[in-house]
Amino acid sequence: MILIDQPKLALRKIIPFLFIILLSHGIAYSQMFYLRDSIEVVRLEKELANSTGTNKINIENQIAAIIVNYDPERSFSLSQATLAASEEFSYPVGKAFALSNIGFYYFLQSEFIKAFQYQTQAYGIAQSLNIPELSMLIYERMGYIYYFSKADEQQIINHYEEARKYHDEVGNKNMAASMLVIIGGGAFRIGNYQVALDYFNRFLRYTSNMEPPRLEKLIVAYSMGDIYFQWREMDKAIELYKSSLALMDFNFVEEMALNANVFLKIGDYYLAANQPDSAMIFINKCYQQCKAIHYTRGEMKACIKLGMFYKSRGEYEKSISNYEEATRLGYIIDSTGLLFNDAHFNKFIDVTDETWMSSPTAYRKFHGKLGILEGLTNLMELYQITNHQDKALKIIDSTLTIKDEILKFQNRTELMELKLKYESENKEQKIELLARENEIQKRKTHQTRLLLFSFLGFLILILLIGILYIRQNRIKSSQKNMQLQQKLLRSQMNPHFIFNSLASIQNSIINEEPEKASTYLARFSKLMRNILDSSVDEFIPLEQEISTIENYLSLQKIRFPEKFDYSISMDETLDPTEIHIPPMLAQPFIENAIEHGFRNKETTGHIQISIYHEKGNIMYTIEDDGIGRARAQETSIKLDNNYKSLATQITRERIAVINKKLKQKISLEIIDLKDEAGIGVGTKVVFRLPGKL
């Protein structure tokens, strides 16, 4: 039987628990919460045995909310059951809570769109029931989505600022203080360090006359140290790190992990201060402490730092050992999605750096992938230095695979962020329209015919605003798609060059030319590092582009020692560190000159690369004295009837996409050089770039 006052009765029972959940969500699901929550689950399960109807729904929702971080699949199953039961009993409180729990489950699976949709449904029900405690729980969970997706960075601050105001108004000072810490963390995560520092200082002022939780004071001190570390104000950073050490309770695993991370930061400080012995003491302390608590991510970071240290000192075997261990640990994180590789600790989270909250599995795996890439790229170089070419060759495929996985994750995340931003804006628009419609409905019963005309005019205005709003969203979506398209085009160019380079290494090995293969592999590993560094950026410094081209030409010179020579000249007035250009512009045309322009040329060819100022523009030219495009095309078609050069087409498409976002455009001109008899004697490619990009 359904009682009319059922939601109110249920509300009185569920409010104390909602405050517990809000407190648990404040900063992190740490070991202290895990122990407390485990006891609470046992108590609730005893109550569940004798419960029926809406009371059973309430208890199951509470259990699902507690265990979602520790046993997400059971939480999801329970929430689906309570959602169905709430529908059967026409119980909106239970439905809203179940929808929010399901949404949080999807958040942990990195399915942000589904998570947002479920939380939006739950929030609408909670608002209609006027349950502020449940509304705030849902609102803060929506903040989690913005926190990790970065779909709309301002929403991180908006959501938690709204929650802070609510907790402050109802006198829940500890939760209001927690919101300041989370907002500061959100600003830090998106790189807005000054805003982050302002919020952390607001926390210190707000809590000056109260005693906030020790963990929050610890995180604030540590995080402020991180901000000054980013700003390279090392003395302030070290002072704050040391103050955080004094706040730590080493009975808790996460705080031991945080302590290890402080050791690593202090080690960085001593490295920067050119005190390697002190640095090694702290880096080794970090490693040993991480190893003792099976903190995989901390071990991985320490091994990378040790590998870097030994590499800089020429102790290559030690460097290799540490990079190999870092790579192994990275694969563990990537395969399990766990930051602690121990059955007792793997439910805990990492409270170091920006990950103070329950983070999605894919986000944790991404940290593992980054560690793998760092390890493999350095190992490829170190194996070559130590004459282990066979090992270097074996990890090339793994390096390319992990780099591809990272790019796919970034592209997938970017697309998901775009969709989530659309969902968010659509939700806000619906809420705004619904509020206006309710207001209009109230006025209709009290207004005259004049108000009716005003109402019609108001609707027209709303329609115009809606049209402009939708049009603006489409423009934003189009710009985002352009960025994705540009990255796709650039990723299509790199594999073409990599394939040719690997083929050359293979030929040298087959022809039993070990010295040539060794030299080629050394240069190739350096070039690969440049390509990996530049492939995720739209623009790179001119200095980096020149370095990449020099490496590339040196590699081709090894393949064709008598075929061509080259020279690179640059206007002395240009600063290659300040000028930025799209990466790998010249490489396709240099490759065409070598592969096709000089193929049938009897004398040694020459490639001249020039960079200079002209009328406020940067001129970037590639000139060769090959056989010309027409004869090269004829020769290529004879060798392969299906031959079709894509270099020019892809480059023009890249420039077209870039130009849509630039006021001053980039232009490309290809000039066929001919002698007096009209016979092709080379090709000149001219890029005209704006003075500032």
Side-chain angles (χ1 to χ4, degrees):
M1 182 173 67
I2 308 299
L3 300 176
I4 294 175
D5 61 343
Q6 186 183 52
K8 293 182 180 179
L9 290 172
L11 180 58
R12 286 199 293 270
K13 292 180 180 179
I14 207 169
I15 280 178
F17 173 74
L18 288 174
F19 272 114
I20 292 173
I21 293 296
L22 285 168
L23 285 168
S24 298
H25 277 70
I27 292 294
Y29 266 86
S30 67
Q31 183 181 3
M32 65 182 74
F33 292 130
Y34 178 69
L35 296 173
R36 183 203 66 194
D37 291 346
S38 298
I39 296 170
E40 180 65 11
V41 168
V42 172
R43 186 189 68 78
L44 288 169
E45 286 177 338
K46 288 181 179 178
E47 284 189 24
L48 187 63
N50 300 315
S51 299
T52 58
T54 57
N55 189 37
K56 181 181 180 183
I57 292 172
N58 287 340
I59 294 173
E60 288 181 334
N61 271 332
Q62 292 172 41
I63 293 172
I66 292 174
I67 67 173
V68 67
N69 289 277
Y70 317 128
D71 193 348
E73 296 305 323
R74 184 189 172 203
S75 172
F76 181 64
S77 178
L78 265 177
S79 299
Q80 286 183 311
T82 56
L83 179 60
S86 297
E87 292 280 7
E88 181 183 346
F89 282 84
S90 300
Y91 181 40
V93 175
K95 181 178 179 180
F97 205 168
L99 286 169
S100 180
N101 286 340
I102 293 172
F104 200 73
Y105 165 83
Y106 280 122
F107 158 75
L108 292 175
Q109 306 307 311
S110 301
E111 296 189 42
F112 296 144
I113 306 301
K114 283 186 178 180
F116 188 82
Q117 290 169 343
Y118 274 95
Q119 297 296 358
T120 301
Q121 289 184 64
Y123 186 72
I125 297 171
Q127 285 288 83
S128 68
L129 295 173
N130 192 24
I131 308 177
E133 295 82 7
L134 182 57
S135 296
M136 281 303 103
L137 170 65
I138 297 166
Y139 210 63
E140 289 172 29
R141 284 176 163 182
M142 292 169 77
Y144 272 62
I145 300 170
Y146 287 115
Y147 193 98
F148 282 95
S149 72
K150 294 193 283 189
D152 187 345
E153 295 166 347
Q154 185 58 39
Q155 290 289 355
I156 300 172
I157 295 175
N158 292 349
H159 273 68
Y160 287 108
E161 186 63 44
E162 188 70 23
R164 183 199 64 78
K165 290 177 183 176
Y166 165 76
H167 290 302
D168 192 51
E169 288 171 1
V170 301
N172 191 354
K173 300 297 183 182
N174 278 336
M175 276 303 300
S178 293
M179 296 301 104
L180 290 172
V181 180
I182 293 174
I183 296 169
F188 180 89
R189 174 169 165 71
I190 62 179
N192 200 335
Y193 301 129
Q194 186 57 58
V195 172
L197 186 62
D198 291 344
Y199 270 97
F200 291 139
N201 281 321
R202 280 183 63 183
F203 168 85
L204 295 175
R205 291 193 298 271
Y206 188 84
T207 59
S208 60
N209 295 321
M210 56 184 281
E211 186 57 35
R214 178 189 53 78
L215 183 60
E216 291 182 9
K217 292 194 293 183
L218 165 60
I219 288 176
V220 167
Y222 176 84
S223 301
M224 291 175 74
D226 272 352
I227 292 170
Y228 285 111
F229 190 88
Q230 293 291 334
W231 288 342
R232 289 298 180 259
E233 296 184 36
M234 305 306 289
D235 290 339
K236 287 184 178 179
I238 293 301
E239 181 181 350
L240 285 159
Y241 285 145
K242 288 180 178 178
S243 69
S244 71
L245 288 174
L247 291 165
M248 291 181 185
D249 184 342
F250 295 103
N251 291 314
F252 297 107
V253 171
E254 296 98 322
E255 296 186 42
M256 292 176 69
L258 189 62
N259 177 54
N261 210 58
V262 171
F263 285 153
L264 192 63
K265 294 290 177 67
I266 296 175
D268 273 342
Y269 165 77
Y270 283 121
L271 282 176
N274 198 25
Q275 298 180 42
D277 292 337
S278 297
M280 283 303 296
I281 290 172
F282 281 94
I283 295 172
N284 276 313
K285 277 186 177 181
C286 168
Y287 177 76
Q288 293 302 328
Q289 185 145 320
C290 292
K291 195 172 182 64
I293 59 174
H294 306 281
Y295 175 37
T296 316
R297 185 185 177 208
E299 287 184 75
M300 181 184 73
K301 291 195 295 184
C303 285
I304 288 173
K305 191 66 66 176
L306 288 167
M308 187 187 310
F309 174 80
Y310 287 123
K311 181 182 176 185
S312 68
R313 293 167 66 95
E315 298 182 48
Y316 298 130
E317 293 303 325
K318 289 183 179 179
S319 180
I320 287 172
S321 176
N322 278 283
Y323 277 124
E324 286 177 341
E325 179 64 6
T327 303
R328 184 187 72 82
L329 294 166
Y331 275 117
I332 290 174
I333 297 172
D334 186 33
S335 63
T336 64
L338 300 174
L339 302 173
F340 289 88
N341 189 29
D342 184 273
H344 296 93
F345 305 150
N346 61 19
K347 301 300 183 184
F348 305 153
I349 69 164
D350 184 357
V351 295
T352 63
D353 301 325
E354 78 278 20
T355 51
W356 305 334
M357 301 180 172
S358 305
S359 54
T361 302
Y363 179 80
R364 298 194 295 270
K365 288 186 175 184
F366 179 66
H367 278 291
K369 287 180 171 62
L370 292 177
I372 295 168
L373 181 60
E374 181 76 16
L376 289 176
T377 50
N378 279 282
L379 284 172
M380 190 158 54
E381 182 179 348
L382 287 163
Y383 285 150
Q384 176 56 38
I385 292 172
T386 57
N387 295 317
H388 291 93
Q389 289 87 353
D390 55 336
K391 291 185 178 180
L393 285 170
K394 285 180 181 178
I395 64 172
I396 288 176
D397 286 342
S398 299
T399 305
L400 295 175
T401 298
I402 202 69
K403 187 244 179 184
D404 184 54
E405 288 179 6
I406 289 172
L407 287 175
K408 284 180 180 177
F409 175 85
Q410 291 170 334
N411 288 338
R412 185 171 62 252
T413 301
E414 193 171 346
L415 182 60
M416 188 179 297
E417 288 167 3
L418 185 63
K419 289 180 179 178
L420 180 58
K421 189 170 185 179
Y422 171 78
E423 289 283 340
S424 174
E425 291 171 349
N426 190 42
K427 181 210 75 171
E428 296 297 331
Q429 188 178 15
K430 285 180 179 178
I431 291 173
E432 182 181 350
L433 288 173
L434 182 60
R436 292 183 186 275
E437 287 173 3
N438 289 338
E439 183 65 24
I440 291 169
Q441 192 65 34
K442 290 178 183 178
R443 290 182 181 182
K444 281 177 66 176
T445 59
H446 303 288
Q447 297 299 332
T448 62
R449 184 174 294 181
L450 179 62
L451 187 60
L452 179 60
F453 285 116
S454 299
F455 166 63
L456 292 174
F458 189 64
L459 278 181
I460 293 172
L461 178 62
I462 292 263
L463 182 61
L464 290 174
I465 291 173
I467 291 171
L468 291 173
Y469 191 74
I470 292 170
R471 183 172 177 270
Q472 184 182 13
N473 284 343
R474 287 176 178 172
I475 291 171
K476 289 179 181 177
S477 297
S478 176
Q479 289 175 343
K480 205 70 173 181
N481 286 333
M482 288 176 192
Q483 291 178 357
L484 292 175
Q485 181 185 4
Q486 182 186 349
K487 289 183 179 180
L488 177 62
L489 288 171
R490 189 159 72 243
S491 71
Q492 288 173 339
M493 296 179 69
N494 288 343
H496 181 60
F497 163 67
I498 293 170
F499 175 80
N500 287 340
S501 299
L502 291 174
S504 298
I505 296 174
Q506 185 181 34
N507 288 337
S508 298
I509 294 171
I510 291 172
N511 295 331
E512 298 183 353
E513 298 174 319
E515 291 186 3
K516 185 176 180 182
S518 175
T519 304
Y520 201 103
L521 187 58
R523 293 185 182 277
F524 177 72
S525 64
K526 291 178 182 177
L527 183 59
M528 275 294 298
R529 185 61 178 264
N530 279 351
I531 292 173
L532 291 172
D533 288 342
S534 66
S535 64
V536 294
D537 297 320
E538 288 189 37
F539 299 96
I540 62 172
L542 178 58
E543 180 181 49
Q544 186 175 337
E545 171 76 356
I546 292 172
S547 173
T548 302
I549 293 303
E550 285 180 333
N551 275 330
Y552 174 75
L553 285 165
S554 298
L555 290 170
Q556 292 288 33
K557 188 74 173 157
I558 295 172
R559 290 179 62 203
F560 308 110
E562 305 297 329
K563 202 70 176 176
F564 74 99
D565 54 29
Y566 66 93
S567 58
I568 301 174
S569 64
M570 185 176 67
D571 191 334
E572 292 181 356
T573 63
L574 297 176
D575 185 351
T577 63
E578 294 295 326
I579 297 170
H580 287 71
I581 66 172
M584 299 293 281
L585 278 180
Q587 183 270 332
F589 299 99
I590 296 172
E591 182 175 0
N592 277 347
I594 297 169
E595 298 288 346
H596 306 295
F598 300 150
R599 176 180 289 172
N600 295 317
K601 184 177 173 66
E602 295 178 358
T603 58
T604 301
H606 181 75
I607 297 174
Q608 172 65 43
I609 298 171
S610 304
I611 305 162
Y612 56 93
H613 249 132
E614 184 180 279
K615 298 180 181 179
N617 294 311
I618 305 297
M619 306 301 294
Y620 186 5
T621 68
I622 306 97
E623 183 175 342
D624 68 76
D625 59 356
I627 62 175
R629 287 194 298 169
R631 288 172 60 194
Q633 181 79 4
E634 292 173 3
T635 304
S636 297
I637 291 173
K638 287 179 182 178
L639 295 173
D640 183 359
N641 289 332
N642 297 319
Y643 172 78
K644 183 180 180 182
S645 176
L646 296 177
T648 304
Q649 177 187 345
I650 292 177
T651 303
R652 289 192 188 280
E653 288 180 6
R654 285 183 66 202
I655 291 173
V657 171
I658 295 171
N659 280 342
K660 290 179 181 178
K661 296 180 286 183
L662 299 177
K663 291 182 179 179
Q664 291 181 282
K665 310 302 182 184
I666 301 172
S667 67
L668 167 63
E669 181 183 5
I670 302 176
I671 304 168
D672 294 312
L673 306 177
K674 298 180 180 180
D675 61 14
E676 295 178 355
I679 298 172
V681 291
T683 305
K684 184 175 183 179
V685 178
V686 181
F687 290 99
R688 184 184 296 272
L689 301 106
K692 285 188 177 180
L693 286 176

